[in-house]
Amino acid sequence: MSSHHPLVIGNWKMNPATSAEAKALFLAVRKKVKRDAPVSVVVAPPFPFIPDLSRLSPGGRLPLAAQDVFYEDAGAYTGEVSGSMLASLGVSYVIIGHSERRALGETDAQVNKKILACLRRKLTAVVCIGERERDLRGDFFSVVEGQLRALCTGLSARQLAAVVIAYEPIWAIGTGKTATPEDVKEMQLFITSVLVKLYDRALGKRMRIIYGGSVKPDNAAALHEAGGMQGFLVGGASLKADDFGAIITSVIS
Ligand code: 13P
């Protein structure tokens, strides 16, 4: 089991509409993060709000994540944002390979290159994996294993240990359908077993794996206690400071 505090990341996706609203939400969330509480809380706003929010977070009490990064450091790549740009703005985490980005065409190979870009800039990559649907035969395990193998390509155990894996079954994202704590536990054991196969037991124990998919105040405690993962990647509920605060509290045991 990882020795880190639980990690709770709020993925704001393409919300809110204005910088003023983003600042208000950030300050409301920051109030929910008690100094010295045994939990790491991170928010992932859209790119344009990062500079303003970074100024509101001196000392990194509420660190920032970006929702994507490009894998090249500079050059003729219209519309893209590099790891060095994010690092220069005080960003410390980057969500990579979210299913909503994969649905727009992001490939496993690009996800792997983006992880390497994060490692070069000492940004913590939070890499999303998860099946589109479940089937009775358990074929979804091979989908998850395929994504895991692809993201690990060319990474040493030391490099992978700096990465966070977010298991987000697509069928549970924004649908109100959550994986049960038993499903989450089973997947935590499965992901760990694949990592042990690819690397070793020490790495399997060290890796941080978090769960995302309709995490809400009323299911967070059960998912955390019985799910065995090291935190949550929260979408919709992270846009309401009270709900997000309740989820944060539920992982502090
Ligand atoms: P919801 O919590 O809205 O289901 O979103 C999960 C997610 O995609 C977080 O990255």
Side-chain angles (χ1 to χ4, degrees):
M1 179 65 70
S2 147
S3 57
H4 290 92
H5 288 324
L7 174 65
V8 180
I9 304 176
N11 177 9
W12 291 0
K13 307 192 179 183
M14 203 171 70
N15 301 289
T18 65
S19 183
E21 287 170 86
K23 283 193 259 185
L25 177 58
F26 184 87
L27 291 174
V29 169
R30 205 181 62 178
K31 274 196 203 136
K32 306 285 178 191
V33 183
K34 304 275 171 291
R35 226 176 274 281
D36 303 326
V39 56
S40 301
V41 182
V42 175
V43 292
F47 285 137
F49 304 147
I50 287 174
D52 275 350
L53 300 188
S54 187
R55 278 189 285 276
L56 292 178
S57 182
R61 178 152 151 229
L62 182 52
L64 295 176
Q67 297 176 16
D68 190 20
V69 66
F70 193 55
Y71 43 79
E72 298 292 349
D73 290 326
Y77 302 105
T78 303
E80 297 293 355
V81 172
S82 72
S84 51
M85 292 172 187
L86 295 173
S88 77
L89 291 171
V91 167
S92 29
Y93 294 76
V94 182
I95 297 171
I96 294 176
H98 193 283
S99 60
E100 289 154 12
R101 298 218 53 82
R102 292 182 191 256
L104 292 172
E106 185 154 291
T107 63
D108 278 336
Q110 289 169 335
V111 168
N112 178 257
K113 287 207 261 184
K114 290 180 177 191
I115 297 171
L116 292 168
C118 284
L119 289 166
R120 284 198 297 278
R121 296 291 163 191
K122 301 212 167 358
L123 296 161
T124 301
V126 179
V127 188
C128 303
I129 56 174
E131 75 282 359
R132 181 164 306 285
E133 57 195 9
R134 291 215 154 191
D135 56 287
L136 289 175
R137 286 198 323 196
D139 287 348
F140 58 91
F141 284 114
S142 356
V143 173
V144 171
E145 177 162 356
Q147 289 175 328
L148 258 179
R149 285 179 176 272
L151 77 85
C152 293
T153 307
L155 264 61
S156 67
R158 204 159 143 239
Q159 288 175 311
L160 190 62
V163 168
V164 175
I165 293 182
Y167 170 62
E168 292 210 307
I170 297 170
W171 52 268
I173 295 177
T175 56
K177 287 186 212 160
T178 326
T180 63
E182 294 74 29
D183 291 338
V184 174
K185 181 72 202 169
E186 185 181 39
M187 193 52 84
Q188 183 247 333
L189 292 172
F190 177 72
I191 291 171
T192 304
S193 74
V194 174
L195 295 172
V196 170
K197 210 162 40 174
L198 293 176
Y199 294 88
D200 55 33
R201 287 183 65 211
L203 181 76
K205 279 190 195 164
R206 256 173 91 183
M207 282 301 294
R208 275 187 293 177
I209 310 170
I210 63 177
Y211 169 78
S214 297
V215 177
K216 306 284 177 207
D218 61 358
N219 59 23
L223 284 168
H224 181 66
E225 274 156 35
M229 295 209 181
Q230 284 88 48
F232 295 126
L233 182 53
V234 185
S238 71
L239 296 171
K240 294 185 195 125
D242 285 345
D243 285 2
F244 194 52
I247 293 170
I248 295 166
T249 304
S250 71
V251 305
I252 307 174
S253 41

